[in-house]
């Protein structure tokens, strides 16, 4: 499967050192690995979200991206 992410979503992945290749055909295993990495980023920021609004916003962005990737996996 090929994921169509916008530039902000790609920057979000890069900010957490998540490797994403535009136009790459991801196998199911690769897609789930990508999804796991996004969940890790979400959890990282969610840990600090009670005290830091910026962390809460980042956690929500990663959660939305994870939802988008999950919906694309068939």
């Amino acid at each position: 499967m090929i994921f169509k992410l916008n530039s902000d979503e790609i920057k979000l992945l890069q900010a957490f050192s998540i490797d994403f290749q535009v136009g790459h055909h991801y196998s199911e295993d690769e897609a789930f690995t990508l999804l796991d990495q996004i969940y890790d980023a979400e959890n990282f920021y969610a840990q600090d979200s009670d005290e830091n609004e910026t962390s809460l916003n980042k956690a929500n962005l990663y959660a939305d991206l994870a939802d988008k990737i999950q919906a694309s996996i068939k």
Side-chain angles (χ1 to χ4, degrees):
M1 62 202 78
I2 297 175
F3 299 111
K4 298 189 186 287
L5 303 183
N6 64 41
S7 61
D8 289 336
E9 292 167 331
I10 293 169
K11 287 178 188 174
L12 195 62
L13 294 174
Q14 292 170 340
F16 206 75
S17 300
I18 297 172
D19 183 40
F20 178 76
Q21 300 170 9
V22 176
H24 176 71
H25 188 273
Y26 284 82
S27 69
E28 189 172 290
D29 286 343
E30 290 172 320
F32 281 116
T33 297
L34 176 63
L35 187 60
D36 285 342
Q37 292 173 328
I38 296 169
Y39 286 143
D40 288 345
E42 177 189 357
N43 288 329
F44 175 81
Y45 287 108
Q47 292 174 16
D48 192 33
S49 64
D50 288 340
E51 301 168 10
N52 186 328
E53 189 171 332
T54 301
S55 290
L56 176 61
N57 290 338
K58 285 186 178 183
N60 287 333
L61 290 172
Y62 282 107
D64 291 343
L65 183 54
D67 290 344
K68 181 176 180 176
I69 297 294
Q70 179 68 47
S72 299
I73 298 174
K74 298 178 180 172

